[in-house]
Amino acid sequence: MPAMIARVLGEGFRVFFLSAGLFGLFAGGVWGLWLATQTGLIGYEDPTYAMSPSMWHAHEMIFGYATAALGGFFLTAVPNWTGTPEARAQFIMAVAGLWLAGRLAMWFSGALPPTLVAVVDLAFVPVLAAKIASQLVRRPKPQNMIFLLLLSYIWISNLLTHLEWIGVTGDTQNIGLRAGLLTLCSMIAILGGRITPAFTRNAMKRAGEPETNWPVSVGAFDKAAMVLALLLPPGVLIFGMGPITGGIALMLGIAQFLRMMRWRMRWALRQPILIALHIGLVMLALGLILWGLAVLGFGSEIGALHLLGIGCVGGMTLAVMSRAALGHSGRALVASPPMATAYGLMASAAILRWVGSALDQGYLIAMLASDGLWISAIVLYLIAMWPALTGPRLAS
């Protein structure tokens, strides 16, 4: 057991990908219990947190679950991008402790001063950003430095939620939550646009597919997606939910669909670990189009937000965390049946939640069922990835 703990706390991908799974399971379970109280299935108990259950749920999925996944990704990827040493175990334990402190502060916020909750919860991202900045400056490529800008948008978005809870502002909570989610989507648009065609190309090359069949990226669509992805978060922060941000999201969703048309998605169906990336990006494109239309007055905004939150963020985090965990622990890049099932359950949870937003009588039941699919997907992820996240690295 001590050796396992040392391994988990000694590498960024282990501690944060494991934390993301465990916290995603906890947060999904808490949300499911609250939903069950609304249907009368169980009794209601006063929560320990200060905000409403729906706001705690939204905040913790965006700034709790997703930021853990980001922490594991950046602490693992940035050293590879820059050729710098990975973070030392002492730093990893310290920054993981900051993330955990934020989750505890939010959970017990009903008994704590709101300013203290804000200070504790807002500490994690700047420390993480400072570390990766110290590595990125060794090889300051613009395509990598932009992630520091996006991390700053996530921090500002979280700050806006806390400012309303503290009482400093009157109505910044909803903007902060949406800006945080859409910043995550912008990161996925940029990162997914790099890794999805590249990983598909590598797999096709290993399979002996001729080069003429490999994925092709169209520069104009890639550039358009990059620019729009960088414009979307500040657009939400500055202009809120209006025609400007709705138009940006709509154009980004269309650009994302167009750039994926030649990424050989049909071929990727052969490998679950590949198709999960493609599906996550389809959810991104569809969710952005639907959110843009909803902001412009057509359709359900809540449904579109959950398509982005569950299908895109949930689906892509599972896809990237599982692939990185396997690769960095010396295991074959093959999704086991439980992991492949988890990908499918996460996508199903997103679709069910989106469809449920259009229902009247069955709305709560659809929400409960979607939450059950989320929980099932996370459980399977933890089962499938436990050896890679806690066990020793296998010999190549």
Side-chain angles (χ1 to χ4, degrees), residues 1 3 39 46 53 60 74 93 100 121 135 156 179 190 205 212 216 291 294 310 320 358 361 373 379 384:
M1 185 62 72
T39 62
D46 290 336
E60 290 302 272
F74 283 123
M93 287 188 286
L100 179 60
D121 185 43
Q135 297 171 318
I156 293 170
I190 295 169
K205 185 177 180 180
T212 53
V216 176
W291 188 79
I310 303 172
V320 172
Q361 299 297 326
L373 292 175
V379 167

Side-chain angles (χ1 to χ4, degrees), residues 311-331:
C312 173
V313 176
M316 284 297 284
T317 50
L318 285 193
V320 172
M321 290 191 301
S322 57
R323 187 183 186 96
L326 291 171
H328 287 275
S329 63
R331 289 160 171 82

Side-chain angles (χ1 to χ4, degrees), residues 3 38 49 67 69 94 105 167-168 189 237 254 256 293 305 373 386 396:
Q38 308 311 297
Y49 41 84
T67 58
V168 174
L237 290 169
I254 293 171
Q256 183 61 40
L293 290 173
L305 287 173
L373 292 175
W386 190 265
S396 302

Side-chain angles (χ1 to χ4, degrees), residues 260 265 274-284 311 316 343 347:
M260 292 183 65
M265 184 174 178
L274 271 183
I275 196 59
L277 295 169
H278 288 264
I279 291 173
L281 291 178
V282 168
M283 293 287 186
L284 170 67
M316 284 297 284
Y343 300 147

